[in-house]
Amino acid sequence: MANITKHDIRKSASEGANFYLRDPITHKIIDVVVNADESADYSLTPTFHMQGMDSPAYRRAVAHRSALRQNRRKQKDVPTGAIILEIAEGMYDDECRNLSAVVDGWSNVEDDKGPIEFSREAAYKLFSDYPWMKEQAEAFISDRANFLGNDETP
């Protein structure tokens, strides 16, 4: 019989993994250098250390944003249609906040002004301003294989 409980995904998701940002057009990892021996050097690649969606930090962030949304809805005396529109418009912001809650750090993240100092608010701004980054990060944290000890760099 198979042991269906052998993977403690909460623990590994909490430990996190490195997410390498890809170019939104070519889908290639940004600034990866291929050495003469064909090994890859990721030392210049924009890299986010992120916890997975099964981590307590992500679950707390989702619960917190959901509670805030519920409280906003209870405090307003507005028609249901308007509430639904407000919820839909707030979902993108909530998703960016949830993602930023599980970024534990980064390296090689910069804009046209230079390196961006890590903070969760800076992570939120990146995900909010650049939907392609948000979509990549969501896909990464949602893929449990990224957190189950597969140390291979993509």
Side-chain angles (χ1 to χ4, degrees):
M1 215 177 253
N3 176 1
I4 61 171
T5 62
K6 71 179 179 178
H7 297 295
D8 184 1
I9 190 67
R10 290 171 297 191
K11 182 177 185 284
S12 56
S14 295
E15 292 167 358
N18 286 334
F19 156 59
Y20 301 98
L21 196 61
R22 293 178 179 270
D23 184 282
I25 297 169
T26 66
H27 304 287
K28 292 181 180 178
I29 295 174
I30 297 173
D31 288 342
V32 64
V33 176
V34 179
N35 299 315
D37 65 358
E38 296 188 16
S39 64
D41 177 1
Y42 296 90
S43 62
L44 301 176
T45 300
T47 306
F48 294 72
H49 189 78
M50 299 188 74
Q51 296 179 48
M53 68 177 221
D54 293 307
S55 67
Y58 185 76
R59 305 264 174 172
R60 277 192 305 272
V62 169
H64 176 72
R65 302 300 304 169
S66 179
L68 288 175
R69 201 175 319 116
Q70 289 292 331
N71 284 339
R72 282 194 308 261
R73 198 168 87 197
K74 288 178 184 175
Q75 293 171 356
K76 296 184 176 194
D77 186 23
V78 292
T80 302
I83 292 171
I84 291 171
L85 180 62
E86 179 184 324
I87 290 171
E89 290 172 347
M91 285 177 68
Y92 186 84
D93 183 71
D94 289 350
E95 291 166 357
C96 293
R97 293 274 178 208
N98 295 341
L99 278 173
S100 65
V102 295
V103 179
D104 292 329
W106 62 42
S107 59
N108 305 316
V109 175
E110 55 185 66
D111 60 14
D112 56 353
K113 297 174 192 155
I116 301 172
E117 185 175 337
F118 170 74
S119 71
R120 290 215 162 97
E121 193 58 33
Y124 164 76
K125 182 152 179 45
L126 284 175
F127 295 139
S128 180
D129 291 349
Y130 300 95
W132 62 272
M133 286 185 202
K134 173 190 167 291
E135 290 164 7
Q136 288 183 35
E138 283 178 324
F140 180 81
I141 70 164
S142 298
D143 186 350
R144 290 181 175 101
N146 291 324
F147 303 95
L148 289 173
N150 180 4
D151 291 335
E152 290 182 28
T153 304

